[in-house]
Each structure stands twice: as C-alpha cells, then as structure tokens.
Amino acid sequence: MYKVHCLNNISEKGLALLTDNYEITDNVDEADVILVRSANMKEMEFSPNLKAVARAGAGVNNIPLDVLAEKGIPVFNTPGANANAVKELVLCGMLLAARDVLGGAQWVRDNADDENIGKSAEKAKKAYAGNEITDHTLGVIGLGAIGAKVAQAAEALGMSLVGYDPFLDAERAAAISPNMKFVTDLADLYAAADYITIHVPAVASTIGMIDAAAIAQMKDGVAFLNFSRDTLVNDTDMAAALASGKVRRYVTDFANPAVVKMERAIVLPHLGASTDEAEENCAKMAVQEVMQYLETGKKVHCVNMK
C-alpha cells in the first residue's frame, strides 16, 4: 500500500484515479508520494519513506530538485496540462492592454450614484478608448505548449506573428503556423512586435532577460505580457520603461511589491492555471505519472533524474 500526501489541494478528479493500492495520508512523514502545486518545498526535510514527488503544474521552482535527486527521488511535472488555461488568460491580458476595459469599468463603479450615468458615460468613454489587436503583430518568445497555443489563437484573431525559440528550427516553427515569421535573433522580434508575450522557464540564462537593453530594442509603445515567471523581467527597468512611455502596458500574472506600484501595469494574482479544467488535467497527469513510476519504474516528465 502506497501512501500519498497532498501539500496543496489536489483536484478530486485526479485523486480518484488512485487505485486500491494507494491511500491518502495527512502525515507527510509516512508518505511514499507527495503531490504539490505551489507550496514551497525548499526548506522541507524529507522522510526516508518518500519515493516520488509530482508537481500538478509545469514550473518546479518551488521544489529542491537537486536535493531530491541526491536522495534518488524523482520529481515529475505536468507540462501542457494547463496550457489552454494560460493561453486564454494571455489573450485576455492582451485585450486588456489594448482596450482600457479595467479603467472604464472602474469609472462606472466610481460614478454609481450618478442618476444620469448613461449620459455621463457617453461623455467619459473617450478617456478609455484603445486599439484593436487585428492587423497588429504579436511576438512570442518561447514556442512550447503555451506559446504555440497563444500564437495560433492570436493568428485566428487576425494578428501577424513573430516567433523565437532557441530549441526550435524553422521547420518545427512552421508546423505551429506556416505564416509565422520565425527569427533566431531576439532583436528581430523586439523590433517588429506591437505586443510581446514570453513563455520560457526561469533558468540562469533567462532570469532578468527583459532588461533595459532588451526594452531599448522594442518598438515605442509596445505592450509586454508576462504569464511565465516573475523573475524573467527586471522590475526596475520595466518601471522606468513604463514611466517614460517606451512600454505602454505591462501585464503580469505575478504580484510583487515592485510591480503593484508601477504606473500602467496590469497585475493579476497568478490566475494563469486557475481554472477547474486545468487543475483537473494537472492532477490527473501527476497521479498517472507517479503511479506509473511506482508500478513499472518508468519516468515520464521527470525533471531531476534520467
């Protein structure tokens, strides 16, 4: 009998896949398996009983991969399981950057006591005018599961595409969209895009990559969307770019003390994968991965061991 401990709430539809050889335990020290979403495991002590960890999501920066690898404990993630949920929120973020929907909605609430709100709104709405995204260019940095879906959806909405991914070649990029301009130099993407969205992991080569030097190569008035990782963007440089108008809007799914104070930043509370469907998909994949490992030894989507 394998015992499973959930550090976060894990979808019941995922847990329902566990067979009679598994049981849920509240005692992490007796667990053979830990299922986790966003809980920070970096300072945890790990019991000798632990045999596997599965992250119900793609990012694993909350898990001490090296420590667990040294103990012979594989860590699994669920790439692609929440891709559609994130894609839809990126599209929402792009539309919020294009049209001042949030500002207009706040104006209505602020004037809720106005008995002539309809007439007043007709006069006030010009302050919240925006642009359409059709016939504008979207630059997509990272063409993995999420980036590819964002690119395809944006193209369906009438946008032109510029894509960059150091792990793809032109042929594989064309399979995502034959109309996408695939570049091997980020400078070419920066110069062409009206909107830029980033979908890469936070590793040594990407942390802080969106800095003053990168921003200087972008179009004046660009809108930048970050639904990937907080640390990819240099907050000081982004604040300066927003203040100068170089960047028109910064839309991020990662609240921190710096971004919440930035003018013209739209900051969301990490809603990317917060849909019932995404949570179910991630939980199902995570459960299936650890069951397969424990029962057959096969490692699918293992991120810290071969």
Side-chain angles (χ1 to χ4, degrees), residues 55-300:
R55 158 83 161 98
V60 289
N61 55 320
N62 57 321
I63 303 171
L65 302 181
D66 292 344
V67 171
L68 289 165
E70 289 173 3
K71 295 177 179 293
I73 300 169
V75 177
F76 303 93
N77 71 342
T78 59
N82 61 13
N84 189 70
V86 179
K87 174 206 78 177
E88 291 186 359
L89 194 63
V90 172
L91 293 178
C92 174
M94 188 159 52
L95 291 167
L96 292 177
R99 308 280 294 273
D100 192 7
V101 175
L102 296 178
Q106 187 61 51
W107 180 91
V108 173
R109 286 194 173 275
D110 291 344
N111 291 272
D113 294 332
D114 183 354
E115 293 182 357
N116 296 307
I117 186 70
K119 290 183 178 180
S120 299
E122 289 300 318
K123 296 178 181 179
K125 68 181 183 182
K126 62 184 178 181
Y128 307 103
N131 301 101
E132 299 175 18
I133 61 172
T134 299
D135 296 328
H136 286 78
T137 298
L138 174 65
V140 184
I141 303 173
L143 294 164
I146 296 171
K149 285 182 177 291
V150 170
Q152 291 165 340
E155 185 175 34
L157 292 172
M159 301 189 79
S160 299
L161 301 175
V162 180
Y164 169 86
D165 192 314
F167 299 103
L168 292 187
D169 56 24
E171 182 178 355
R172 292 169 65 191
I176 296 170
S177 167
N179 299 315
M180 177 171 60
K181 180 182 179 183
F182 180 69
V183 299
T184 57
D185 188 337
L186 268 174
D188 295 329
L189 183 148
Y190 293 148
D194 304 298
Y195 298 82
I196 299 174
T197 182
I198 189 166
H199 302 284
V200 301
V203 296
S205 61
T206 62
I207 291 173
M209 65 180 284
I210 306 303
D211 57 9
I215 294 169
Q217 300 175 69
M218 298 177 190
K219 280 187 175 183
D220 292 344
V222 68
F224 193 90
L225 298 93
N226 180 11
F227 288 82
S228 189
R229 288 292 176 268
D230 183 16
T231 53
L232 302 176
V233 175
N234 181 302
D235 287 337
T236 300
D237 293 348
M238 181 58 72
L242 286 166
S244 71
K246 176 68 177 182
V247 175
R248 176 168 51 88
R249 285 285 191 183
Y250 176 42
V251 188
T252 177
D253 204 21
F254 307 99
N256 67 39
V259 297
V260 297
K261 296 181 178 68
M262 292 182 192
E263 292 283 339
R264 295 193 303 281
I266 298 173
V267 186
L268 305 178
H270 202 189
L271 297 178
S274 294
T275 67
D276 292 341
E277 295 87 347
E279 291 181 11
E280 290 169 9
N281 291 339
C282 289
K284 289 177 180 178
M285 187 182 291
V287 167
Q288 290 169 335
E289 288 167 351
V290 293
M291 289 175 61
Q292 186 173 34
Y293 170 68
L294 292 174
E295 294 169 21
T296 72
K298 186 175 181 180
K299 300 185 185 79
V300 178

